């Protein structure tokens, strides 16, 4: 029940170039903030059986939280213990947590002890109260809050078997001053002997919680997982990730893919090997030439570590690529074949993030070995002809393999994500 009021029931009254795509908000789990009404020095309504409303509210919220978390939701509480919070503090906490929606749980009371049932309050811009103005966001969110309220009310009444008291357009603070769809649930009446007894029953509280959770889920269903548990079907790169997964080109970690994590050089070279089968090293005496044109340098530097062995071209040895590194063999193969070269300090930096420019250059070297490494024109404003990867970027752009970060820029020094890599490579699979 709301502090300082007796609520009357009369008037119930989501690659252009994969490399350019940002990570969408809905790639994350749906976030819910649950608010257990009252607490601490504020017990709320006191039942005819002596039961404190704050106790009921907190227990029901804990049960809703457990149900939603078991279904993949991220659930946060305005209070996680028996403490007092002002209404303004509850809204401030919610705004800071930036959830997808807010649900406050209460128990009701009335001067007429025969009244029973459940209801849900929400702010309705069509029923404004001059003395209690709402935030602009909540006024605009009226349709969403009302839809959430109706879904929760329907599911709760069905689950708990309570009397349906309907929806209540209300100016209650937590429902009118937030910034996301918000409702206040009145589970049952502590002033009614039968319902007070029910509210003391853990089984009844579980039924209330199940109904509230079902209504929340009906309003904001979790994204169905796509290729991996952390890649929902609606993720912009899901099709590409699934395509490469099914072909054995990429794999996840414990069922997850971490699509927004920066891609390393070792990871990218491994994907290239799986997709294209990198060329074997050139014969001894021919350097690391491909197609008659020596492949050198670029942002990887001009050094290639030290070499050993005779006969066929020996793989360079890099001081930061021990034989125990998981990608040792493929990195050595790529370096010996001239796909990439090390830095002047004798390193190849396998675990550093790969940039967009580097990705374009590596793809170019694999698909068109020996192609000119000097650009003669500028396609993007931030890719001058003097940039070491300009020719590769331009060539892949002309072939429709890449797009820019914007209409006029490419952002060649920006790190590539694992999702971007999947989308890029999927364009090369016929």
């Amino acid at each position: 029940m709301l502090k300082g009021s007796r609520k009357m029931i009369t008037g119930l009254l989501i690659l252009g170039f994969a490399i350019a795509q940002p990570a969408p908000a809905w790639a994350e789990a749906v976030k819910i903030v649950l608010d257990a009404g009252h607490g601490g020095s504020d017990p709320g309504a006191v039942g005819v059986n002596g039961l404190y409303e704050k106790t009921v509210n907190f227990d029901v919220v804990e049960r809703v939280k457990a149900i939603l978390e078991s279904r993949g939701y991220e659930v946060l509480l305005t209070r996680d213990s028996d403490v007092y919070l002002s209404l303004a503090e509850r809204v401030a906490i919610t705004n800071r947590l930036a959830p997808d929606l807010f649900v406050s749980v209460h128990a009701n009371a009335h001067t007429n002890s025969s009244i029973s049932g459940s209801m849900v309050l929400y702010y309705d811009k069509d029923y404004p109260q001059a003395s209690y103005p709402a935030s602009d966001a909540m006024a605009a969110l009226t349709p969403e809050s009302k839809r959430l309220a109706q879904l929760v009310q329907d599911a709760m009444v069905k689950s708990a078997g309570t009397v349906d008291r309907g929806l209540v357009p209300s100016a209650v603070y937590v429902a009118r001053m937030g910034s996301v769809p918000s409702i206040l649930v009145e589970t049952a009446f502590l002033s009614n002997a039968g319902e007070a007894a029910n509210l003391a029953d853990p089984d009844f509280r579980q039924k209330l919680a199940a109904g509230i959770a079902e209504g929340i889920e009906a309003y904001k269903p979790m994204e169905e997982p796509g290729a991996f548990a952390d890649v929902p079907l609606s993720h912009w790169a899901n099709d590409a990730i699934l395509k490469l997964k099914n072909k054995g080109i990429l794999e996840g970690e414990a069922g997850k893919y971490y699509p927004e994590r920066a891609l390393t050089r070792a990871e990218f070279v491994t994907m290239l090997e799986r997709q294209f089968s990198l060329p074997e090293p050139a014969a001894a005496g021919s350097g690391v030439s491909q197609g008659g044109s020596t492949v050198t340098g670029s942002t990887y530097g001009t050094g290639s570590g030290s070499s050993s062995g005779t006969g066929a071209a020996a793989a360079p040895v890099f001081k930061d690529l021990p034989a125990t590194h998981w990608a040792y063999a493929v990195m050595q193969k790529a370096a010996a074949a001239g796909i990439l070269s090390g830095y002047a300090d004798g390193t190849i930096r396998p675990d550093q993030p790969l940039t967009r420019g580097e990705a374009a250059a590596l793809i170019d070297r694999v698909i068109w070995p020996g192609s000119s490494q000097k650009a003669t024109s500028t396609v993007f404003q931030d890719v001058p002809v003097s940039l070491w990867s300009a020719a590769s970027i331009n060539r892949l752009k002309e072939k429709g393999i890449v797009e820019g970060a914007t209409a006029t820029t490419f952002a060649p020094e920006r790190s590539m994500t694992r999702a971007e890599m999947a989308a890029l490579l999927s364009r090369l699979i016929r």
Side-chain angles (χ1 to χ4, degrees), residues 2 44-45 73 75 78 81 107 162 189 199 259 263 287 293 315 323 378 380 395:
L2 293 178
Y73 289 80
V75 183
T78 55
S81 61
T162 53
F189 282 80
L199 288 170
L263 182 73
S293 176
T378 299
F380 297 104
R395 191 159 25 254

Side-chain angles (χ1 to χ4, degrees), residues 82-163:
D82 186 18
V83 297
Y84 172 79
L85 292 175
S86 70
L87 299 177
E89 286 176 318
R90 295 169 193 265
V91 171
I93 290 170
T94 303
N95 287 341
R96 184 175 71 250
L97 295 174
D100 294 285
L101 56 90
F102 168 90
V103 176
S104 185
V105 175
H106 288 248
N108 217 333
H110 196 274
T111 54
N112 183 344
S113 62
S114 67
I115 293 176
S116 64
S118 304
M119 63 179 71
V120 177
L121 285 61
Y122 73 100
Y123 180 78
D124 196 317
K125 63 181 177 59
D126 293 332
Y127 298 89
Q129 296 185 32
S131 299
Y132 303 99
S135 66
D136 291 341
M138 290 313 304
L141 283 168
T142 288
E144 292 303 308
S145 293
K146 185 175 183 179
R147 184 167 71 89
L148 172 61
Q150 190 65 67
L151 289 168
V152 169
Q153 173 70 2
D154 291 345
M156 178 174 58
V157 167
K158 181 179 179 180
S159 178
T162 53
V163 175

